[in-house]
Amino acid sequence: MPGSLSTSLRTHTCGELREGHVGETVTLCGWVANYRDHGGVVFIDLRDRFGLTQLVFDPDAGEKLSGDGLNAATHELARGLRAEDVIRVTGAVHARGEGLKNPKLDTGAIEVRASDLTVLNKSATPPFEPGAEQLPGEELRLKHRYLDLRRPKLQRIMELRHRLAKVTRDYFDEQGFLEIETPVLGRSTPEGARDYLVPSRVHPGEFYALPQSPQLYKQILMVGGTDRYFQIARCFRDEDLRSDRQPEFSQIDVEMSFVEREDILAAIDGLIGAFSKELRGKEIELPLPRLTHAEALDRFGTDKPDTRFGLELKDVSDVAAECEFGVFSKTVAGGGKVRGLCAPDAAAKYSRKDLDGLTAFVGEWGAKGLAWFRVVEEDGAAKLQAPTAKFFTAEQQTAIIERLSGKPGDLLLFVADKPSVVNAALANLRNRLGKELELYDPAELAALWVLEFPLVTRNEEENRWEAEHHPFCAVHPEDVEKLVTDPAAVRAESYDLVCNGYEAASGSVRIHDPAVQQTVFDLIGMDAEEANRRFGFLLDALKYGAPPHAGIALGLDRWVMILAQLENIRDVIAFPKTQKAADLMTGAPGEVDGKQLEELHVRTVAPPK
């Protein structure tokens, strides 16, 4: 609890009173959370951000309580109270009788017996009650977000968000960083997603872009001698949304000069340690674990693995190539892979109907099917049991079971396809099984680094190379010569921080040599003229003594979501957008009048029918 929260209207908050306050006369303000009339004695649960206090309006209390007791007019006023009315109450603090204490409430040992009541504001009948156990649909809650924000759980999340931001600022301040704001109105640059554009009234036909990140500005701050910068920055991306994305979001942006990769990793290790200690009350082992990008794909099928549980992927392509199961052998012959995982003690937990459901699930990730086997024991040996088991010899069955460390009672699941499809299907299946089989503690925090991403990936449709992260990532020193001869094998000095299966941060060592920067631009098909047009201000800055520098950005919203053990990022943002990027409360986006468009030199075009 912070320092004194008394004001001109209240002496205490609704979460503050304890048995030590018994006998005191107090004044509380808040919202009516619950109303109960027990034969004329009215009980009110009064709620504010800090908690809940039970009020008692007893018309027969009289002088035996405190002061003047409760008069008839005040009692009648109390009987007219309803959910979400805003009131101010004065009364005496009393201990609850034996058997009447509420251990679920911090204030559950006391009650306030009212002697005076002021209705500060009556509420219309709310479309839902913030304290109700059964919440309405998200759409209704977002439309009336001011009611939803009164929910104690949501208020605790907002407090967690505040504390995370404070821990961040305190940590970086102690490490010698400066918090510096960068512009919100900037120049449109290609950063992997669509920009939100803002037309300029002063410069007809020209546009600002809202920042997808402060990437270029923070690099220029390093050229400017700032040395250590951070910012809790607002960012904007016009992209298709999902449960862990929003069109506007906050990130913890960091950049350091005269450093290498290890300096950044050590700094962020310390920040994650501070998150765990200050926000969870738990120490975590540092430095955080590390995997290369290649190792992460091999073991988990994804570059953002959830390491709270096992179910690691195993390759059985060599065995599959020799079996008589055509789906397996033909896939391997065509250059594909057969990989699988072992779900422990799950053979009896998944019926044939359940397995059909898993097959449909992997189909969402491009897989043409899902092969499954139950591991059983026959004549003292482990065997595969499934309609397709007959296509595998006893030796092949033994090899598969041993490869996946299977035992009787386990369920083995396989996908056969090109490597990218196999990885995507099994990685998502693995996450689903981990949750369904309850293989981990939801409160656990499993963070690790994924290192050495590819510098570029091939865009087959456009027949060109694209930057995996962004075009400013430094090249791994061992791979510089491969830029021309084998771009696909070039590793970047980039790194992602992954936590509980989410990408929680991403960064890289930057290119600080203009010549190397242009080499990378050439590789992705951006000639010097185009590079100068798009990034001329950065390229000019790099010519004037740019120090070696590196940085990273952590998703603040995503970290709050992880620490709050939630799966929807909208639950940790005070005023979020829907999956269609709409604000249901305010009606944004909305139309503007013709005069505004005229001043901005903008003309709208009707969308195609």
Side-chain angles (χ1 to χ4, degrees), residues 390-403:
K390 61 187 177 183
F391 297 110
F392 298 82
T393 67
E395 291 77 13
Q396 289 168 345
Q397 291 189 28
T398 299
I400 289 174
I401 293 170
E402 290 180 350
R403 186 75 55 86

Side-chain angles (χ1 to χ4, degrees), residues 87-397:
I87 64 175
R88 178 174 184 255
V89 175
T90 298
V93 181
H94 283 252
R96 296 199 196 185
E98 286 301 319
L100 299 177
K101 296 181 180 180
N102 186 347
K104 296 180 180 179
L105 290 179
D106 292 337
T107 60
I110 61 90
E111 61 190 15
V112 174
R113 298 185 181 178
S115 57
D116 187 64
L117 167 65
T118 302
V119 178
L120 299 174
N121 209 330
K122 291 289 291 182
S123 172
T125 302
F128 63 92
E129 294 184 13
E133 291 186 9
Q134 188 68 34
L135 287 175
E138 184 183 52
E139 185 171 320
L140 183 63
R141 288 188 287 114
L142 290 181
K143 183 176 181 180
H144 301 277
R145 190 61 165 178
Y146 37 82
L147 292 177
D148 202 30
L149 284 167
R150 295 178 194 171
R151 278 194 295 131
K153 181 177 180 180
L154 194 48
Q155 290 180 337
R156 289 194 298 271
I157 292 170
M158 292 301 110
E159 181 179 355
L160 173 62
R161 186 184 179 100
H162 159 78
R163 291 181 61 209
L164 184 142
K166 184 179 185 303
V167 169
T168 298
R169 288 190 163 99
D170 290 345
Y171 174 80
F172 282 122
D173 180 62
E174 291 170 0
Q175 300 295 319
F177 285 75
L178 299 180
E179 183 171 12
I180 300 176
E181 294 180 347
T182 54
V184 171
L185 296 177
R187 181 181 177 86
S188 177
T189 58
E191 293 193 46
R194 295 184 190 90
D195 288 325
Y196 278 103
L197 300 177
V198 180
S200 170
R201 177 185 61 81
V202 179
H203 302 279
E206 297 183 355
F207 295 80
Y208 299 104
L210 303 183
Q212 294 186 33
S213 77
Q215 178 65 47
L216 303 182
Y217 289 109
K218 66 181 182 180
Q219 287 193 248
I220 289 175
L221 283 171
M222 297 303 102
V223 179
T226 300
D227 195 87
R228 294 186 169 203
Y229 142 95
F230 87 98
Q231 178 186 189
I232 296 180
R234 294 295 284 170
C235 304
F236 308 84
R237 294 183 183 178
D238 185 4
E239 59 186 350
D240 294 333
L241 306 182
R242 57 188 189 216
S243 62
D244 63 342
R245 284 183 178 173
Q246 278 280 286
E248 53 181 320
F249 56 96
S250 296
Q251 71 181 33
I252 302 169
D253 208 45
V254 181
E255 199 79 9
M256 301 171 68
S257 291
F258 304 111
V259 294
E260 295 181 337
R261 184 186 74 185
E262 296 305 310
D263 299 290
I264 292 287
L265 268 54
I268 303 305
D269 276 356
L271 178 64
I272 305 308
F275 284 172
S276 186
K277 180 179 180 181
E278 300 298 330
L279 304 176
R280 301 169 69 240
K282 297 181 180 180
E283 300 274 0
I284 59 172
E285 186 175 345
L286 299 176
L288 296 173
R290 302 180 182 188
L291 292 176
T292 65
H293 179 264
E295 185 180 2
L297 291 182
D298 181 61
R299 292 174 56 186
F300 303 101
T302 177
D303 56 17
K304 45 182 182 293
D306 189 340
T307 56
R308 289 176 293 179
F309 59 99
L311 300 191
E312 294 192 17
L313 311 189
K314 301 295 181 181
D315 195 307
V316 296
S317 299
D318 56 333
V319 180
E322 304 298 326
C323 75
E324 295 183 2
F325 184 42
V327 173
F328 279 13
S329 57
K330 290 178 181 179
T331 296
V332 176
K337 293 285 186 181
V338 180
R339 306 187 74 200
L341 55 81
C342 174
D345 304 316
K349 296 179 180 178
Y350 286 86
S351 66
R352 183 58 188 267
K353 182 179 179 181
D354 295 331
L355 292 169
D356 289 342
L358 295 182
T359 301
F361 177 76
V362 297
E364 297 176 15
W365 311 97
K368 300 180 183 66
L370 179 70
W372 57 267
F373 303 93
R374 294 185 173 94
V375 182
V376 298
E377 185 175 348
E378 292 182 4
D379 301 325
K383 302 287 186 181
L384 297 179
Q385 184 186 74
T388 54
K390 61 187 177 183
F391 297 110
F392 298 82
T393 67
E395 291 77 13
Q396 289 168 345
Q397 291 189 28

Side-chain angles (χ1 to χ4, degrees), residues 138 145 154 157-158 161 241-250 502-503 555-562 566-577:
E138 184 183 52
R145 190 61 165 178
L154 194 48
I157 292 170
M158 292 301 110
R161 186 184 179 100
L241 306 182
R242 57 188 189 216
S243 62
D244 63 342
R245 284 183 178 173
Q246 278 280 286
E248 53 181 320
F249 56 96
S250 296
Y502 293 99
E503 178 191 313
L556 186 148
D557 313 284
R558 198 165 291 178
W559 271 103
V560 177
M561 184 182 76
I562 291 169
L566 299 171
E567 296 181 351
N568 190 333
I569 206 164
R570 293 190 291 276
D571 290 335
V572 305
I573 297 173
F575 301 103
K577 303 291 192 295

Side-chain angles (χ1 to χ4, degrees), residues 310-527:
L311 300 191
E312 294 192 17
L313 311 189
K314 301 295 181 181
D315 195 307
V316 296
S317 299
D318 56 333
V319 180
E322 304 298 326
C323 75
E324 295 183 2
F325 184 42
V327 173
F328 279 13
S329 57
K330 290 178 181 179
T331 296
V332 176
K337 293 285 186 181
V338 180
R339 306 187 74 200
L341 55 81
C342 174
D345 304 316
K349 296 179 180 178
Y350 286 86
S351 66
R352 183 58 188 267
K353 182 179 179 181
D354 295 331
L355 292 169
D356 289 342
L358 295 182
T359 301
F361 177 76
V362 297
E364 297 176 15
W365 311 97
K368 300 180 183 66
L370 179 70
W372 57 267
F373 303 93
R374 294 185 173 94
V375 182
V376 298
E377 185 175 348
E378 292 182 4
D379 301 325
K383 302 287 186 181
L384 297 179
Q385 184 186 74
T388 54
K390 61 187 177 183
F391 297 110
F392 298 82
T393 67
E395 291 77 13
Q396 289 168 345
Q397 291 189 28
T398 299
I400 289 174
I401 293 170
E402 290 180 350
R403 186 75 55 86
L404 273 69
S405 302
K407 65 182 189 306
D410 291 348
L411 180 66
L412 309 185
L413 301 163
F414 297 89
V415 172
D417 215 306
K418 61 183 180 180
S420 60
V421 171
V422 170
N423 284 343
L426 287 178
N428 285 282
L429 178 62
R430 175 180 176 272
N431 285 341
R432 172 171 169 168
L433 293 173
K435 184 175 182 179
E436 288 182 352
L437 297 173
E438 299 181 343
L439 299 180
Y440 59 87
D441 179 357
E444 183 182 352
L445 198 67
L448 74 153
W449 290 102
V450 178
L451 312 174
E452 299 181 4
F453 282 75
L455 181 73
V456 292
T457 53
R458 192 69 179 171
N459 184 326
E460 298 296 344
E461 291 184 2
E462 299 181 13
N463 192 31
R464 65 183 182 87
W465 295 104
E466 292 180 333
E468 172 78 13
H469 274 62
H470 54 67
F472 312 108
C473 292
V475 180
H476 194 289
E478 297 176 3
D479 297 344
V480 174
E481 294 182 358
K482 298 177 184 177
L483 276 171
V484 176
T485 60
D486 190 8
V490 178
R491 293 166 294 171
E493 284 276 78
S494 58
Y495 32 81
D496 277 3
L497 180 62
V498 176
C499 187
N500 295 2
Y502 293 99
E503 178 191 313
S506 186
S508 73
V509 177
R510 319 302 188 191
I511 297 171
H512 66 280
D513 184 325
V516 175
Q517 183 67 77
Q518 188 55 56
T519 300
V520 173
F521 283 153
D522 291 340
L523 177 61
I524 62 176
M526 187 183 300
D527 60 28

